[in-house]
Amino acid sequence: MVDLSQYLPILIFLGIALALSSLFVFLPMGVSRLTGTHNPDAEKLSEYECGFPAFEDPRSQFDVRFYLVAILFIIFDLEAAFLFPWAVSLDMTGWPGWITMMVFLGELAIGLAYAWKKGALEWE
Amino acid sequence: MTQTFVNWGMTYDWAWFVATIAGILLIALPLMLAVAMIIYADRKIWAAMALRRGPNVVGPFGLLQSFADGLKVFLQETIIPSAANKGLFLIAPIITFTVALMAWAVIPFNSGAVLADINVGLLYVLAISSLGVYGVVIAGWASNSKYPFFSAMRAAAQMISYEVSIGFILICVVLWAGSFNLNAIVEAQRGAGLGIVNGFWFNLLLFPMWVMFLISSMAETARAPFDLTEAESELVAGYQTEYSSMSFALYWLGEYANVLLMCALNATLFWGGWLPPLEIEFLYWIPGFVWLCLKILFFFFIFSWVKATVPRYRYDQLMRLGWKVFLPLSLLFVVLVSGWLMFTRYG
């Protein structure tokens, strides 16, 4: 039986932390209206691009390599997710468990070698 | 703590609730104070390494510098750029700071002195640190400005790349300790080195893992030499360029809270957490809480030291280090550590 009661303090902590950080964001907005520092104008609210007007839409395109890194991260994070239960139960699964996991790791190592060879890990 | 409140005449449920709230505040408020003081310490350490004084005007020895800075940003005007997506723009710093606080719920400060003694504590820390990426990416995207967007992309790629190797390093520690519970991991380090040294760093198989964890934790929190996300010569101030006032400060508070968390993890996973460094009776006279704080401060000094002395990495070098050096090495060490344990302990 899993003891879930220990998660309740985390939930309460989440509430308190959210309240604290919301306070930090919204309270100064109110205070600056009271103290009179709140004084926006069109130039002040334009985006900052080192003093020039923006050249193009910032969200138009980005490098595909970020996408590749994200995909690789998903694969290897999933691999780690398979390793976690194996790591805590190594004493119970013994040699068969160990050999099975080594086969799994070997397959993913081949995958990593392929991505490496293909140049998916390159940033020139 | 619950028992104390029961003795004061509360019912058990109320006593538990009050004790939990008190525990949370006992973690969150000193943490924020520690972050303020650690920013001051950081500046002092860099200054000392550059043979200058650092902040020394506000208060005695400049001790009140961070509080003056805090008051300053608090009273500044909050600017929301007209091109920004307002809701997300305001939510992003909230996510970052909330997440930075949350991970501290499972760090054990002494035997049993932990807010939530959950069985999968280490997984919880991993999950929470993954959530930190959202605060950064949302900030960069919602700003609707070019440099914050680039910085957010870089930060996200960097954080997730090093999270992969951190995951495998943690698996090595878990293999050795046999548990995900942070208190159990600390206990497993009691007398781990020749029966006298408390800590896994002493272990020849885990020592390289500790070095990699230290470097990865610098990359994960985007500290120098891996602070490419805020490379001010290329990207202005990074993903928080468009932020102002307290929202801007929340990113710094969150970053330093994360740095302290990584120092605490270094101490907890490899250097015996709240245990004294050596298994000697009189060292236990000093409470475990003090030992943990000393270790955290020691690692923070290392972080500061590295920041003051090492030049910044290039982005391609950073990604190469993460994917081509740390990932294969940590995978290899998972095989080595588990193989060694099979031959010596479980086989």
PDB file of all heavy atoms in Angstrom, chain A residues 62-72 123, chain B residues 149-158 160 315 319:
ATOM      1  N   PHE A  62      12.597  29.287 -36.690  1.00  0.00           N
ATOM      2  CA  PHE A  62      13.723  28.981 -35.825  1.00  0.00           C
ATOM      3  C   PHE A  62      14.404  27.721 -36.328  1.00  0.00           C
ATOM      4  O   PHE A  62      13.880  27.002 -37.193  1.00  0.00           O
ATOM      5  CB  PHE A  62      13.313  28.853 -34.354  1.00  0.00           C
ATOM      6  CG  PHE A  62      12.373  27.734 -34.056  1.00  0.00           C
ATOM      7  CD1 PHE A  62      12.853  26.462 -33.786  1.00  0.00           C
ATOM      8  CD2 PHE A  62      11.006  27.952 -34.028  1.00  0.00           C
ATOM      9  CE1 PHE A  62      11.984  25.440 -33.508  1.00  0.00           C
ATOM     10  CE2 PHE A  62      10.134  26.923 -33.753  1.00  0.00           C
ATOM     11  CZ  PHE A  62      10.618  25.665 -33.491  1.00  0.00           C
ATOM     12  N   ASP A  63      15.608  27.468 -35.789  1.00  0.00           N
ATOM     13  CA  ASP A  63      16.459  26.406 -36.290  1.00  0.00           C
ATOM     14  C   ASP A  63      15.854  25.030 -36.015  1.00  0.00           C
ATOM     15  O   ASP A  63      15.369  24.770 -34.910  1.00  0.00           O
ATOM     16  CB  ASP A  63      17.825  26.525 -35.609  1.00  0.00           C
ATOM     17  CG  ASP A  63      18.902  25.896 -36.440  1.00  0.00           C
ATOM     18  OD1 ASP A  63      18.642  24.824 -36.997  1.00  0.00           O
ATOM     19  OD2 ASP A  63      19.990  26.485 -36.537  1.00  0.00           O
ATOM     20  N   VAL A  64      15.905  24.140 -37.009  1.00  0.00           N
ATOM     21  CA  VAL A  64      15.315  22.816 -36.868  1.00  0.00           C
ATOM     22  C   VAL A  64      16.094  21.979 -35.847  1.00  0.00           C
ATOM     23  O   VAL A  64      15.596  20.994 -35.313  1.00  0.00           O
ATOM     24  CB  VAL A  64      15.252  22.116 -38.241  1.00  0.00           C
ATOM     25  CG1 VAL A  64      16.633  21.698 -38.699  1.00  0.00           C
ATOM     26  CG2 VAL A  64      14.327  20.907 -38.189  1.00  0.00           C
ATOM     27  N   ARG A  65      17.334  22.372 -35.544  1.00  0.00           N
ATOM     28  CA  ARG A  65      18.135  21.576 -34.615  1.00  0.00           C
ATOM     29  C   ARG A  65      17.545  21.592 -33.206  1.00  0.00           C
ATOM     30  O   ARG A  65      17.717  20.656 -32.442  1.00  0.00           O
ATOM     31  CB  ARG A  65      19.574  22.079 -34.602  1.00  0.00           C
ATOM     32  CG  ARG A  65      20.336  21.608 -35.824  1.00  0.00           C
ATOM     33  CD  ARG A  65      21.695  22.213 -35.880  1.00  0.00           C
ATOM     34  NE  ARG A  65      21.607  23.661 -35.997  1.00  0.00           N
ATOM     35  CZ  ARG A  65      22.626  24.416 -36.353  1.00  0.00           C
ATOM     36  NH1 ARG A  65      23.773  23.882 -36.627  1.00  0.00           N
ATOM     37  NH2 ARG A  65      22.498  25.723 -36.437  1.00  0.00           N
ATOM     38  N   PHE A  66      16.841  22.677 -32.862  1.00  0.00           N
ATOM     39  CA  PHE A  66      16.169  22.693 -31.561  1.00  0.00           C
ATOM     40  C   PHE A  66      15.127  21.578 -31.488  1.00  0.00           C
ATOM     41  O   PHE A  66      14.937  20.943 -30.464  1.00  0.00           O
ATOM     42  CB  PHE A  66      15.507  24.050 -31.324  1.00  0.00           C
ATOM     43  CG  PHE A  66      16.494  25.149 -31.055  1.00  0.00           C
ATOM     44  CD1 PHE A  66      16.676  26.175 -31.952  1.00  0.00           C
ATOM     45  CD2 PHE A  66      17.241  25.143 -29.895  1.00  0.00           C
ATOM     46  CE1 PHE A  66      17.584  27.181 -31.704  1.00  0.00           C
ATOM     47  CE2 PHE A  66      18.144  26.148 -29.638  1.00  0.00           C
ATOM     48  CZ  PHE A  66      18.322  27.169 -30.545  1.00  0.00           C
ATOM     49  N   TYR A  67      14.455  21.377 -32.627  1.00  0.00           N
ATOM     50  CA  TYR A  67      13.453  20.319 -32.713  1.00  0.00           C
ATOM     51  C   TYR A  67      14.104  18.957 -32.539  1.00  0.00           C
ATOM     52  O   TYR A  67      13.604  18.087 -31.807  1.00  0.00           O
ATOM     53  CB  TYR A  67      12.759  20.444 -34.072  1.00  0.00           C
ATOM     54  CG  TYR A  67      11.750  19.383 -34.369  1.00  0.00           C
ATOM     55  CD1 TYR A  67      10.498  19.418 -33.777  1.00  0.00           C
ATOM     56  CD2 TYR A  67      12.054  18.348 -35.235  1.00  0.00           C
ATOM     57  CE1 TYR A  67       9.573  18.446 -34.056  1.00  0.00           C
ATOM     58  CE2 TYR A  67      11.139  17.373 -35.513  1.00  0.00           C
ATOM     59  CZ  TYR A  67       9.897  17.423 -34.931  1.00  0.00           C
ATOM     60  OH  TYR A  67       8.985  16.452 -35.201  1.00  0.00           O
ATOM     61  N   LEU A  68      15.256  18.756 -33.204  1.00  0.00           N
ATOM     62  CA  LEU A  68      15.974  17.484 -33.085  1.00  0.00           C
ATOM     63  C   LEU A  68      16.379  17.211 -31.638  1.00  0.00           C
ATOM     64  O   LEU A  68      16.228  16.093 -31.138  1.00  0.00           O
ATOM     65  CB  LEU A  68      17.233  17.512 -33.961  1.00  0.00           C
ATOM     66  CG  LEU A  68      17.058  17.066 -35.398  1.00  0.00           C
ATOM     67  CD1 LEU A  68      18.369  17.203 -36.144  1.00  0.00           C
ATOM     68  CD2 LEU A  68      16.592  15.620 -35.429  1.00  0.00           C
ATOM     69  N   VAL A  69      16.899  18.262 -30.976  1.00  0.00           N
ATOM     70  CA  VAL A  69      17.310  18.085 -29.585  1.00  0.00           C
ATOM     71  C   VAL A  69      16.121  17.697 -28.721  1.00  0.00           C
ATOM     72  O   VAL A  69      16.213  16.811 -27.867  1.00  0.00           O
ATOM     73  CB  VAL A  69      17.972  19.381 -29.058  1.00  0.00           C
ATOM     74  CG1 VAL A  69      18.092  19.351 -27.556  1.00  0.00           C
ATOM     75  CG2 VAL A  69      19.333  19.550 -29.673  1.00  0.00           C
ATOM     76  N   ALA A  70      14.976  18.338 -28.986  1.00  0.00           N
ATOM     77  CA  ALA A  70      13.778  18.028 -28.195  1.00  0.00           C
ATOM     78  C   ALA A  70      13.363  16.577 -28.393  1.00  0.00           C
ATOM     79  O   ALA A  70      13.013  15.880 -27.436  1.00  0.00           O
ATOM     80  CB  ALA A  70      12.647  18.978 -28.584  1.00  0.00           C
ATOM     81  N   ILE A  71      13.410  16.101 -29.663  1.00  0.00           N
ATOM     82  CA  ILE A  71      13.038  14.708 -29.941  1.00  0.00           C
ATOM     83  C   ILE A  71      13.992  13.755 -29.218  1.00  0.00           C
ATOM     84  O   ILE A  71      13.564  12.790 -28.567  1.00  0.00           O
ATOM     85  CB  ILE A  71      13.079  14.458 -31.462  1.00  0.00           C
ATOM     86  CG1 ILE A  71      11.913  15.167 -32.134  1.00  0.00           C
ATOM     87  CG2 ILE A  71      13.058  12.972 -31.765  1.00  0.00           C
ATOM     88  CD1 ILE A  71      10.609  14.454 -32.005  1.00  0.00           C
ATOM     89  N   LEU A  72      15.299  14.041 -29.317  1.00  0.00           N
ATOM     90  CA  LEU A  72      16.279  13.174 -28.662  1.00  0.00           C
ATOM     91  C   LEU A  72      16.065  13.174 -27.153  1.00  0.00           C
ATOM     92  O   LEU A  72      16.205  12.136 -26.495  1.00  0.00           O
ATOM     93  CB  LEU A  72      17.702  13.634 -28.997  1.00  0.00           C
ATOM     94  CG  LEU A  72      18.165  13.288 -30.405  1.00  0.00           C
ATOM     95  CD1 LEU A  72      19.491  13.951 -30.691  1.00  0.00           C
ATOM     96  CD2 LEU A  72      18.299  11.784 -30.560  1.00  0.00           C
ATOM     97  N   TRP A 123      26.379  21.038 -33.967  1.00  0.00           N
ATOM     98  CA  TRP A 123      25.984  22.456 -34.031  1.00  0.00           C
ATOM     99  C   TRP A 123      27.173  23.191 -34.594  1.00  0.00           C
ATOM    100  O   TRP A 123      28.068  23.551 -33.839  1.00  0.00           O
ATOM    101  CB  TRP A 123      25.673  23.019 -32.647  1.00  0.00           C
ATOM    102  CG  TRP A 123      24.460  22.442 -32.012  1.00  0.00           C
ATOM    103  CD1 TRP A 123      24.324  21.183 -31.522  1.00  0.00           C
ATOM    104  CD2 TRP A 123      23.227  23.103 -31.797  1.00  0.00           C
ATOM    105  NE1 TRP A 123      23.080  21.012 -31.019  1.00  0.00           N
ATOM    106  CE2 TRP A 123      22.384  22.174 -31.163  1.00  0.00           C
ATOM    107  CE3 TRP A 123      22.753  24.378 -32.070  1.00  0.00           C
ATOM    108  CZ2 TRP A 123      21.086  22.498 -30.813  1.00  0.00           C
ATOM    109  CZ3 TRP A 123      21.477  24.696 -31.708  1.00  0.00           C
ATOM    110  CH2 TRP A 123      20.643  23.750 -31.085  1.00  0.00           C
TER     111      TRP A 123
ATOM    112  N   PHE B 149      13.182  35.442 -27.470  1.00  0.00           N
ATOM    113  CA  PHE B 149      12.763  34.180 -28.079  1.00  0.00           C
ATOM    114  C   PHE B 149      13.978  33.290 -28.347  1.00  0.00           C
ATOM    115  O   PHE B 149      13.982  32.104 -27.994  1.00  0.00           O
ATOM    116  CB  PHE B 149      12.002  34.475 -29.370  1.00  0.00           C
ATOM    117  CG  PHE B 149      11.464  33.245 -30.038  1.00  0.00           C
ATOM    118  CD1 PHE B 149      10.515  32.472 -29.400  1.00  0.00           C
ATOM    119  CD2 PHE B 149      11.920  32.855 -31.282  1.00  0.00           C
ATOM    120  CE1 PHE B 149      10.020  31.330 -30.002  1.00  0.00           C
ATOM    121  CE2 PHE B 149      11.432  31.713 -31.884  1.00  0.00           C
ATOM    122  CZ  PHE B 149      10.479  30.956 -31.246  1.00  0.00           C
ATOM    123  N   PHE B 150      15.030  33.868 -28.932  1.00  0.00           N
ATOM    124  CA  PHE B 150      16.250  33.080 -29.172  1.00  0.00           C
ATOM    125  C   PHE B 150      16.792  32.520 -27.871  1.00  0.00           C
ATOM    126  O   PHE B 150      17.180  31.357 -27.780  1.00  0.00           O
ATOM    127  CB  PHE B 150      17.331  33.960 -29.822  1.00  0.00           C
ATOM    128  CG  PHE B 150      17.061  34.291 -31.254  1.00  0.00           C
ATOM    129  CD1 PHE B 150      17.711  35.337 -31.875  1.00  0.00           C
ATOM    130  CD2 PHE B 150      16.150  33.549 -31.981  1.00  0.00           C
ATOM    131  CE1 PHE B 150      17.459  35.643 -33.195  1.00  0.00           C
ATOM    132  CE2 PHE B 150      15.893  33.854 -33.311  1.00  0.00           C
ATOM    133  CZ  PHE B 150      16.544  34.907 -33.908  1.00  0.00           C
ATOM    134  N   SER B 151      16.840  33.390 -26.870  1.00  0.00           N
ATOM    135  CA  SER B 151      17.384  32.971 -25.577  1.00  0.00           C
ATOM    136  C   SER B 151      16.572  31.835 -24.969  1.00  0.00           C
ATOM    137  O   SER B 151      17.127  30.886 -24.411  1.00  0.00           O
ATOM    138  CB  SER B 151      17.414  34.161 -24.631  1.00  0.00           C
ATOM    139  OG  SER B 151      17.741  33.734 -23.353  1.00  0.00           O
ATOM    140  N   ALA B 152      15.244  31.931 -25.108  1.00  0.00           N
ATOM    141  CA  ALA B 152      14.390  30.887 -24.538  1.00  0.00           C
ATOM    142  C   ALA B 152      14.628  29.564 -25.245  1.00  0.00           C
ATOM    143  O   ALA B 152      14.664  28.502 -24.616  1.00  0.00           O
ATOM    144  CB  ALA B 152      12.920  31.298 -24.641  1.00  0.00           C
ATOM    145  N   MET B 153      14.790  29.612 -26.588  1.00  0.00           N
ATOM    146  CA  MET B 153      15.071  28.379 -27.329  1.00  0.00           C
ATOM    147  C   MET B 153      16.381  27.764 -26.848  1.00  0.00           C
ATOM    148  O   MET B 153      16.478  26.564 -26.593  1.00  0.00           O
ATOM    149  CB  MET B 153      15.195  28.664 -28.836  1.00  0.00           C
ATOM    150  CG  MET B 153      13.981  29.229 -29.473  1.00  0.00           C
ATOM    151  SD  MET B 153      12.618  28.094 -29.432  1.00  0.00           S
ATOM    152  CE  MET B 153      13.212  26.873 -30.559  1.00  0.00           C
ATOM    153  N   ARG B 154      17.392  28.610 -26.726  1.00  0.00           N
ATOM    154  CA  ARG B 154      18.687  28.123 -26.255  1.00  0.00           C
ATOM    155  C   ARG B 154      18.577  27.533 -24.857  1.00  0.00           C
ATOM    156  O   ARG B 154      19.080  26.440 -24.586  1.00  0.00           O
ATOM    157  CB  ARG B 154      19.672  29.292 -26.159  1.00  0.00           C
ATOM    158  CG  ARG B 154      20.350  29.641 -27.426  1.00  0.00           C
ATOM    159  CD  ARG B 154      21.432  30.594 -27.068  1.00  0.00           C
ATOM    160  NE  ARG B 154      22.040  31.199 -28.234  1.00  0.00           N
ATOM    161  CZ  ARG B 154      23.029  32.061 -28.141  1.00  0.00           C
ATOM    162  NH1 ARG B 154      23.484  32.422 -26.979  1.00  0.00           N
ATOM    163  NH2 ARG B 154      23.565  32.563 -29.225  1.00  0.00           N
ATOM    164  N   ALA B 155      17.887  28.283 -23.979  1.00  0.00           N
ATOM    165  CA  ALA B 155      17.776  27.835 -22.593  1.00  0.00           C
ATOM    166  C   ALA B 155      17.074  26.497 -22.517  1.00  0.00           C
ATOM    167  O   ALA B 155      17.516  25.586 -21.814  1.00  0.00           O
ATOM    168  CB  ALA B 155      17.019  28.874 -21.770  1.00  0.00           C
ATOM    169  N   ALA B 156      15.975  26.354 -23.293  1.00  0.00           N
ATOM    170  CA  ALA B 156      15.228  25.105 -23.254  1.00  0.00           C
ATOM    171  C   ALA B 156      16.096  23.952 -23.739  1.00  0.00           C
ATOM    172  O   ALA B 156      16.186  22.907 -23.079  1.00  0.00           O
ATOM    173  CB  ALA B 156      13.974  25.232 -24.119  1.00  0.00           C
ATOM    174  N   ALA B 157      16.777  24.138 -24.885  1.00  0.00           N
ATOM    175  CA  ALA B 157      17.606  23.065 -25.427  1.00  0.00           C
ATOM    176  C   ALA B 157      18.719  22.698 -24.449  1.00  0.00           C
ATOM    177  O   ALA B 157      19.014  21.524 -24.221  1.00  0.00           O
ATOM    178  CB  ALA B 157      18.195  23.491 -26.767  1.00  0.00           C
ATOM    179  N   GLN B 158      19.320  23.719 -23.848  1.00  0.00           N
ATOM    180  CA  GLN B 158      20.414  23.469 -22.902  1.00  0.00           C
ATOM    181  C   GLN B 158      19.917  22.724 -21.673  1.00  0.00           C
ATOM    182  O   GLN B 158      20.514  21.745 -21.233  1.00  0.00           O
ATOM    183  CB  GLN B 158      21.014  24.815 -22.512  1.00  0.00           C
ATOM    184  CG  GLN B 158      21.970  24.767 -21.372  1.00  0.00           C
ATOM    185  CD  GLN B 158      22.552  26.132 -21.092  1.00  0.00           C
ATOM    186  OE1 GLN B 158      22.433  27.047 -21.893  1.00  0.00           O
ATOM    187  NE2 GLN B 158      23.189  26.286 -19.956  1.00  0.00           N
ATOM    188  N   ILE B 160      17.201  20.836 -21.224  1.00  0.00           N
ATOM    189  CA  ILE B 160      16.771  19.452 -21.426  1.00  0.00           C
ATOM    190  C   ILE B 160      17.950  18.571 -21.787  1.00  0.00           C
ATOM    191  O   ILE B 160      17.990  17.404 -21.422  1.00  0.00           O
ATOM    192  CB  ILE B 160      15.626  19.341 -22.463  1.00  0.00           C
ATOM    193  CG1 ILE B 160      16.074  19.823 -23.821  1.00  0.00           C
ATOM    194  CG2 ILE B 160      14.397  20.041 -22.001  1.00  0.00           C
ATOM    195  CD1 ILE B 160      15.004  19.662 -24.883  1.00  0.00           C
ATOM    196  N   TYR B 315      27.953  27.968 -27.949  1.00  0.00           N
ATOM    197  CA  TYR B 315      26.782  27.105 -27.875  1.00  0.00           C
ATOM    198  C   TYR B 315      27.046  25.708 -28.437  1.00  0.00           C
ATOM    199  O   TYR B 315      26.589  24.709 -27.884  1.00  0.00           O
ATOM    200  CB  TYR B 315      25.591  27.745 -28.605  1.00  0.00           C
ATOM    201  CG  TYR B 315      24.300  27.128 -28.167  1.00  0.00           C
ATOM    202  CD1 TYR B 315      23.830  27.360 -26.888  1.00  0.00           C
ATOM    203  CD2 TYR B 315      23.591  26.279 -28.981  1.00  0.00           C
ATOM    204  CE1 TYR B 315      22.667  26.773 -26.445  1.00  0.00           C
ATOM    205  CE2 TYR B 315      22.429  25.690 -28.549  1.00  0.00           C
ATOM    206  CZ  TYR B 315      21.974  25.945 -27.277  1.00  0.00           C
ATOM    207  OH  TYR B 315      20.838  25.358 -26.832  1.00  0.00           O
ATOM    208  N   MET B 319      26.618  22.105 -26.406  1.00  0.00           N
ATOM    209  CA  MET B 319      25.801  20.967 -26.816  1.00  0.00           C
ATOM    210  C   MET B 319      26.668  19.733 -27.041  1.00  0.00           C
ATOM    211  O   MET B 319      26.251  18.612 -26.762  1.00  0.00           O
ATOM    212  CB  MET B 319      25.014  21.306 -28.090  1.00  0.00           C
ATOM    213  CG  MET B 319      23.998  22.379 -27.879  1.00  0.00           C
ATOM    214  SD  MET B 319      22.951  22.079 -26.459  1.00  0.00           S
ATOM    215  CE  MET B 319      21.493  21.506 -27.232  1.00  0.00           C
TER     216      MET B 319
END
